[in-house]
Amino acid sequence: MTNSGNVPVRHATMRGRNLAVVLEHIARHQPVTRARLAELTGFTKTTVSNLVGILDDAGLVVDGAPVHEGERGRPGVAVSLRADGAAGLGLEVGVDHLSACVLDLARRVRYRHVVTGDNRGRGPAAVLAALAGLAGEAVAAADGQGLAVSGAAVALPGLLDRENGVVRHAPNLGWTDVPVAGSLTGLPAEYDNEANLAALGELWFGGGARLGDFVHVSGEIGIGAGIVVDGRVFRGAHGFAGELGHLVADPSGPPCPCGGRGCLEQIAGRDALLHAAGIPAGDAAPGVLAARLAGGDERALAAADRAGRALGGALAAAVNLLDPDTIVLGGVYPPLAPWIVPPLRAALAAGPGSLRRAVPPVEVSALADGAAVLGAAGLVIERLLADPAPLLP
Amino acid sequence: MTNSGNVPVRHATMRGRNLAVVLEHIARHQPVTRARLAELTGFTKTTVSNLVGILDDAGLVVDGAPVHEGERGRPGVAVSLRADGAAGLGLEVGVDHLSACVLDLARRVRYRHVVTGDNRGRGPAAVLAALAGLAGEAVAAADGQGLAVSGAAVALPGLLDRENGVVRHAPNLGWTDVPVAGSLTGLPAEYDNEANLAALGELWFGGGARLGDFVHVSGEIGIGAGIVVDGRVFRGAHGFAGELGHLVADPSGPPCPCGGRGCLEQIAGRDALLHAAGIPAGDAAPGVLAARLAGGDERALAAADRAGRALGGALAAAVNLLDPDTIVLGGVYPPLAPWIVPPLRAALAAGPGSLRRAVPPVEVSALADGAAVLGAAGLVIERLLADPAPLLP
């Protein structure tokens, strides 16, 4: 696990900075002896021992079994991240679900809960109240496992003003200028775009560093892209980068809640795809679509082909502009990949493929729907490791 | 002038790093006293004096007139970058011209030379030999002004393997896999995409930091974009980012040398625009186009309108994916702006404008054609200031 740089921190004190350095090395190399930490950090063994002692008192690390390093000498005692100390809560507001996930410091999943239900019908206040309820249950469940949730990150499907905690525009939820900051009482929380957090989920729990720089496509009712460059989310000047779903796929296509026409998500988004295949939207609908595709249903096959070509065209623009190493398809696409990926690849190769002679490989996420909530919880852990000071006694 | 971070440097020695820190502060704050440099850098006054002495011996800085800082005490002697010491050479291979430009350390233009002539007819060897001749003349002219050119950067219109100095694919020149490294004998040189260097030219000599994160559109025969984020060029995983000209503007449009069809540059590139306006390509053709537009020529007006709309559509994709603060139009577009910008803005507002409620302002570069060669020379100076060690006695 590396510090992805998603959490720029200015440490108030030299001690705070040194604690973060030691903690990062423990996270990356655990179990690891104090002697090895001294080598890795350049600090003296005494300094390392003092810093590890502070982290231990704060419940962040724990001494484990003795380990032999090298061929001679006494065994050292290896330090690891503590599995029953601080924890991070990830939450997600989807168009048709709410979900929660708790990770411990070693980023193991300790709790997950998904509640399906359409969030378009009820207002933001009801949705946020339900989310706060879900958060409370998660914190209590974590507490039952000896975990203390120290903060939360919330994934939302729209354009956010992250600084002020306001959803500026979430067309698929029908939300405009909805303040969300403070809706989780008693828990420090931050709010981010679903597609960005899904990309971080893929970075930490999916393909990882092997993917290089990648574009992660979150195929939900809307379609967002998370752009990961050098292990960080590329957010743009106002945090609105990666709006792949609003690239125009067909200028004469259907109108989009964004105000545009023929946007990619009106052709390749989940509900658009189901509609084109003649399947009513609903909980089991993506499964029905996969079954019809497998059965050779003509209408389903035509819808998947059209969606794949539209995705390939939009991703051709993304490849020309962003030049990633890899493209990853997430959300509803993985089970549909056998039918969507071939036309996607063909459309992609017809664009930048000819210029570059090779287009980036298109991979299918193994995380599917869960990526954003995992990325959200992972971001809380990332923040803890990058700046443990608030947890110190 | 700030270090834009375009030149990541690992200094071999602490002295090298400290010299670069002092030199950067001199560049940014000149004329500046040693006492102020000590405040700015955190070094002791003795250390600053020693480092300034080394830079002075190397001919990089010079003492100027005494300056008073604060209300009391002796005047200090202010240090500045030396105007007649080291210099940087920028070169450009355009489809229809070669150009050279020399900057001194303070990035003042000390020499410029543009030779027009079609480079598509003759092979790469002849073009590179002519470029080397131009470079030799520039170095001699700089020498005549007391300037010592320490290196060069070359702008090329295509996809480059920068590490190995190979033009992978420059469709508008007709070059494929052309090695360019070493073509300028006796001068360390690097090679970069024309659009990237034009964006750096805009950053250093045009709109500057006021632009924030920006997309600079180089409208030549081809169309490239330079993407500047946090003062650096965003290059992508393989250095191929920003290929705006190969976004598909019209799927049923004309074929493109890249192998695609209906690429933006086949509609809004210089020659495509002239062709649509019924004007033969040639040196004075853009001027003829501007004159016909001003005179209300129907065919010219239709061509400019179509080009503007196509540019707006491609830039809508760029805004959705990259979320810049500003868009800057360069190359051949500035004199055509009154006719191209209104349809461009309309197309842009119809795309991401509706989602964001505001699209980035579209500005017109004051540098026009010269941006890339200025950016190339500026990059050499940036490199010198970031790592003066090679110039030290």
Side-chain angles (χ1 to χ4, degrees):
Chain A
M1 184 170 60
T2 58
N3 183 322
S4 74
N6 293 291
V7 186
V9 173
R10 281 193 184 279
H11 293 281
T13 64
M14 185 65 82
R15 190 186 79 149
R17 196 189 68 84
N18 292 346
L19 284 166
V21 168
V22 169
L23 190 57
E24 190 195 332
H25 281 285
I26 294 171
R28 202 183 291 181
H29 302 282
Q30 64 173 336
V32 57
T33 63
R34 287 163 176 75
R36 179 89 181 104
L37 284 170
E39 285 172 29
L40 288 165
T41 59
F43 301 150
T44 65
K45 288 185 192 176
T46 307
T47 301
V48 166
S49 286
N50 289 340
L51 294 168
V52 169
I54 294 168
L55 295 170
D56 195 351
D57 289 347
L60 295 170
V61 302
V62 67
D63 275 314
V67 291
H68 279 274
E69 283 177 347
E71 307 200 352
R72 302 182 309 165
R74 290 181 302 158
V77 176
V79 185
S80 298
L81 293 178
R82 193 160 156 185
D84 58 351
L89 171 62
L91 295 165
E92 181 180 7
V93 178
V95 173
D96 59 357
H97 68 276
L98 298 175
S99 61
C101 165
V102 175
L103 297 181
D104 65 24
L105 271 188
R107 276 202 257 225
R108 282 171 299 219
V109 177
R110 303 292 291 268
Y111 174 85
R112 285 190 84 154
H113 189 191
V114 181
V115 180
T116 55
D118 200 321
N119 290 318
R120 287 173 286 195
R122 47 188 185 161
V127 172
L128 293 171
L131 189 73
L134 204 67
E137 287 172 36
V139 169
D143 186 61
Q145 298 182 58
L147 291 165
V149 171
S150 73
V154 184
L156 287 147
L159 298 183
L160 274 84
D161 173 350
R162 295 173 73 223
E163 206 167 317
N164 298 304
V166 176
V167 175
R168 288 269 305 275
H169 197 41
N172 290 312
L173 278 174
W175 293 12
T176 301
D177 293 329
V178 173
V180 289
S183 53
L184 302 173
T185 44
L187 206 58
E190 63 180 302
Y191 301 83
D192 203 346
N193 179 272
E194 178 272 329
N196 289 341
L197 292 173
L200 288 177
E202 187 64 30
L203 177 66
W204 290 324
F205 300 92
R210 179 184 59 75
L211 301 172
D213 292 348
F214 66 96
V215 172
H216 177 272
V217 183
S218 285
E220 307 292 344
I221 293 175
I223 299 174
I227 301 162
V228 175
V229 178
D230 292 336
R232 306 182 198 201
V233 172
F234 177 88
R235 297 182 181 278
H238 317 91
F240 301 165
E243 285 292 335
L244 188 75
H246 297 285
L247 264 60
V248 177
D250 176 1
S252 58
C256 179
C258 82
R261 178 169 281 281
C263 291
L264 175 66
E265 63 188 45
Q266 294 306 316
I267 290 161
R270 198 195 74 175
D271 286 3
L273 193 46
L274 292 171
H275 181 76
I279 299 167
D283 289 355
V288 173
L289 176 57
R292 291 211 190 156
L293 287 166
D297 179 87
E298 291 286 340
R299 195 168 166 191
L301 289 169
D305 182 71
R306 183 165 184 238
R309 281 185 286 116
L311 274 166
L315 285 167
V319 169
N320 269 317
L321 291 171
L322 297 166
D323 183 26
D325 286 300
T326 317
I327 291 165
V328 184
L329 300 182
V332 298
Y333 296 132
L336 311 176
W339 301 278
I340 282 183
V341 172
L344 188 165
R345 285 209 177 105
L348 191 54
S354 45
L355 191 64
R356 287 154 204 261
R357 277 171 266 171
V359 289
V362 178
E363 300 199 2
V364 172
S365 175
L367 298 174
D369 276 342
V373 76
L374 280 168
L379 187 61
V380 178
I381 300 301
E382 173 106 331
R383 239 174 243 295
L384 281 177
L385 296 176
D387 185 15
L391 296 182
L392 300 184
Chain B
M1 186 171 57
T2 59
N3 184 322
S4 74
N6 292 292
V7 185
V9 174
R10 281 193 184 278
H11 294 281
T13 63
M14 186 64 85
R15 190 186 79 149
R17 197 188 69 83
N18 292 346
L19 284 168
V21 168
V22 168
L23 191 57
E24 189 196 330
H25 281 286
I26 294 171
R28 200 182 294 181
H29 301 284
Q30 65 173 335
V32 56
T33 62
R34 286 162 176 76
R36 178 89 181 102
L37 284 169
E39 286 172 27
L40 289 165
T41 59
F43 300 149
T44 65
K45 287 186 192 174
T46 308
T47 301
V48 167
S49 286
N50 290 339
L51 294 168
V52 169
I54 294 167
L55 295 171
D56 195 351
D57 289 347
L60 294 170
V61 303
V62 67
D63 275 316
V67 291
H68 279 276
E69 283 177 347
E71 306 202 350
R72 301 183 309 166
R74 289 182 302 158
V77 176
V79 184
S80 297
L81 294 179
R82 193 160 154 186
D84 58 352
L89 172 61
L91 295 165
E92 182 180 8
V93 178
V95 173
D96 58 358
H97 68 277
L98 298 175
S99 61
C101 163
V102 175
L103 298 180
D104 65 24
L105 270 189
R107 276 202 258 226
R108 281 172 298 217
V109 177
R110 303 291 290 269
Y111 174 84
R112 285 190 85 155
H113 189 189
V114 182
V115 180
T116 54
D118 200 320
N119 290 317
R120 286 172 288 195
R122 47 186 184 162
V127 172
L128 293 172
L131 190 73
L134 205 66
E137 288 172 35
V139 170
D143 186 61
Q145 297 182 58
L147 291 164
V149 170
S150 72
V154 184
L156 287 147
L159 298 184
L160 274 84
D161 174 350
R162 293 174 73 221
E163 207 166 316
N164 297 304
V166 176
V167 175
R168 289 270 305 275
H169 197 40
N172 290 312
L173 278 174
W175 292 12
T176 301
D177 292 330
V178 173
V180 288
S183 53
L184 301 173
T185 45
L187 206 59
E190 65 180 302
Y191 301 83
D192 204 345
N193 178 273
E194 178 272 329
N196 289 341
L197 292 174
L200 288 178
E202 188 64 30
L203 177 66
W204 291 324
F205 299 93
R210 178 184 59 77
L211 301 171
D213 292 348
F214 66 95
V215 173
H216 177 270
V217 183
S218 285
E220 308 290 345
I221 292 175
I223 300 174
I227 301 163
V228 175
V229 179
D230 291 336
R232 306 182 199 201
V233 172
F234 177 87
R235 297 183 181 279
H238 317 92
F240 301 164
E243 285 292 334
L244 187 76
H246 298 284
L247 263 61
V248 177
D250 176 2
S252 59
C256 179
C258 84
R261 180 170 279 282
C263 291
L264 174 66
E265 63 189 44
Q266 294 305 316
I267 290 161
R270 199 195 72 174
D271 287 2
L273 193 46
L274 292 172
H275 180 76
I279 300 168
D283 288 356
V288 174
L289 177 57
R292 291 211 190 155
L293 287 165
D297 178 87
E298 291 286 340
R299 197 169 164 189
L301 289 169
D305 182 70
R306 185 166 182 237
R309 280 184 288 115
L311 275 165
L315 285 167
V319 168
N320 269 316
L321 291 171
L322 298 165
D323 183 26
D325 287 300
T326 318
I327 290 166
V328 183
L329 301 182
V332 299
Y333 297 132
L336 311 176
W339 301 278
I340 283 183
V341 172
L344 187 165
R345 284 209 176 105
L348 192 55
S354 46
L355 191 65
R356 288 153 204 261
R357 275 170 265 172
V359 288
V362 179
E363 299 200 2
V364 172
S365 174
L367 298 174
D369 276 342
V373 75
L374 280 169
L379 188 61
V380 178
I381 299 301
E382 173 105 331
R383 240 174 242 297
L384 281 178
L385 296 176
D387 186 15
L391 296 183
L392 301 184

